[in-house]
Amino acid sequence: MKILMISDHADPLAEVGAKEAGGQNVYIFYLASFLSRLGVVVDVFTRWDRRNKKRIVKVNKNFRVIRVKAGPRHYMPRDNFLGVIGEFAQNILKQIKKENSKYDIIHTNYWFSGLIGLKIKKKLGIPMVHVFHSIGQIRFNTLSKFKLHKKDYDFFQKRILEEKRIARETNGIIATSPVEKKIIEDLFQVSPEKVKMIPIGVDETVFHACPPGQARKDLGLSTQKKLLLYVGRIEWRKGVATLLFAMPKVLKKYKNAKLFIVGGGRTQAAQKLDQAERNRLNRIVKQLGLTDRIVFVGPVDQEHLYKYYCAADLCVVPSYYEPFGIVPLEAMACATPVVVSKTGGLQYTVKNGETGYLAKPRSPGDLSGQIIRALSKQKSFFSPKCLERVHRLFGWEKIAKQYPEYFKKLIRLK
Ligand code: UDP
């Protein structure tokens, strides 16, 4: 089986943690890697966003990343992608013609890729499966409650209409949680049979448990303090500000607690993108008098992250909206409990009271309450349940196998 995968802005080989490189990049990388191990051939087409990146990278014998010229070969804000969709599709088709490639199915990610996929599907006559990652209407609802500019409003109207069209015209849709499956069925009025639920996975060889004491020693951290961890992009919707506002109450109960914030841009260009949010967070830290309690670690590679998860007593995911949320899975795979916002896929991945607790989104009061509740128990209370849940439901090895099975069904139906 040969898959034409499209991931417009999320290059699977990009360095993650910055403003626009996170979960989707990680998902595409692991999905393509695990599929390639099953003998499935995967070509990932992504936008050529830096002149000095190689056009084609052969990751292994079955997995290639092909950068496609669409707009300038440098950074372009994601919201400008609509203007280069035609060029993107044309250049994918050119590459296919040049190599005389024959694909069995198109797998598209995020709405711009969905639109590109619809164009290509028409030309190639093969089925298409779409993964939304984030749904315009839900994001719009979240933003309109808190902060929405007039220009955002017009853009969202366009996105909402186009996402409806993608849902109608694609052959299949993958939802990453039961919550998302229900939203897709209701919002886009598509039949339940059209939407297959396959969660995102975690690589248990990359994220695995290790003794917390040893992990702290290796990272040069105190073994005495309660250690809280945030991992992710530094972006408004990730809710880091809410976590900061929750800290004073946590510190009243656990005076020696420290919060480590992992993530953010690596390169100067990437740092520029999340600079405004980092400045805002730094101001909040100062305003709350927390300078000695919060550590901005910066970005950490996937292969080294497990040590931070292992070292932590608790990982916190305070998002305002989270379509799936890979970070809690990574934490749980390292035997670390999580406190997450009760939103989107987090309600599925985290079992309340067993692998951690759910907190009301954007509520520092509730978040601090749930953090204290989790810290009042020994980490060992949660650890076996965290490991068991990840292994049973979210190991990439098991999850990747569901893809070719589902794809075969769609190819037969076509
Ligand atoms: N991540 C990373 N290094 C960092 C910060 C984040 O590798 O410094 C990874 C993290 O391990 C996870 C992904 O970025 O795999 C974030 O995915 P998630 O779904 O939690 O959030 P999203 O980026 O989709 O909002």
Side-chain angles (χ1 to χ4, degrees), residues 261-409:
I261 297 178
V262 170
R266 221 166 292 241
T267 58
Q268 247 183 352
Q271 277 170 10
K272 236 170 131 181
L273 294 178
D274 55 30
Q275 187 72 52
E277 181 64 1
R278 264 185 300 125
N279 290 346
R280 186 177 79 97
L281 296 176
N282 270 314
R283 279 197 300 274
I284 298 172
V285 169
K286 280 202 189 109
Q287 178 196 326
L288 295 171
L290 298 175
T291 14
D292 61 335
R293 303 283 98 197
I294 315 285
V295 181
F296 285 92
V297 178
V300 175
D301 290 338
Q302 286 268 289
E303 60 184 305
H304 296 116
L305 260 177
Y306 76 97
K307 284 230 164 115
Y308 284 87
Y309 287 120
C310 290
D313 291 292
L314 185 69
C315 176
V316 186
V317 184
S319 316
Y320 302 147
Y321 161 54
E322 195 62 79
F324 183 75
I326 302 173
V327 162
L329 288 186
E330 293 170 349
M332 283 154 56
C334 296
T336 298
V338 286
V339 166
V340 300
S341 291
K342 192 168 184 227
T343 180
L346 301 174
Q347 299 165 91
Y348 169 59
T349 43
V350 178
K351 192 95 181 139
N352 201 24
E354 291 188 13
T355 67
Y357 295 110
L358 299 170
K360 222 168 116 193
R362 223 167 183 248
S363 164
D366 195 43
L367 186 60
S368 56
Q370 300 305 334
I371 291 174
I372 291 168
R373 198 171 167 202
L375 290 180
S376 69
K377 290 196 164 78
Q378 289 294 322
K379 187 175 172 180
S380 56
F381 169 82
F382 300 102
S383 293
K385 290 169 196 135
C386 291
L387 292 174
E388 188 277 330
R389 187 163 178 81
V390 166
H391 190 65
R392 182 163 49 87
L393 296 172
F394 302 106
W396 257 128
E397 211 133 327
K398 273 188 204 148
I399 287 174
K401 286 189 184 133
Q402 297 181 44
Y403 278 79
E405 270 172 37
Y406 176 50
F407 289 170
K408 269 183 207 151
K409 201 175 120 198

Side-chain angles (χ1 to χ4, degrees), residues 115-148:
L115 295 177
I116 297 164
L118 289 182
K119 285 181 189 288
I120 289 178
K121 163 178 142 77
K122 258 191 214 140
K123 293 272 185 214
L124 300 185
I126 54 175
M128 162 176 155
V129 179
H130 185 64
V131 187
F132 281 93
H133 290 279
S134 130
I135 294 175
Q137 183 70 61
I138 307 296
R139 198 162 150 72
F140 173 78
N141 296 348
T142 314
L143 272 173
S144 53
K145 268 193 248 161
F146 307 121
K147 60 164 199 176
L148 191 71

Side-chain angles (χ1 to χ4, degrees), residues 14-15 17 23 32 46 61 103 133 183 198 200 203 229 245 302 312 346 401:
E15 287 166 342
T46 190
K61 82 175 185 354
Y103 293 99
H133 290 279
I183 290 173
I198 310 180
I200 294 179
D203 186 339
L229 179 69
F245 284 117
Q302 286 268 289
L346 301 174
K401 286 189 184 133

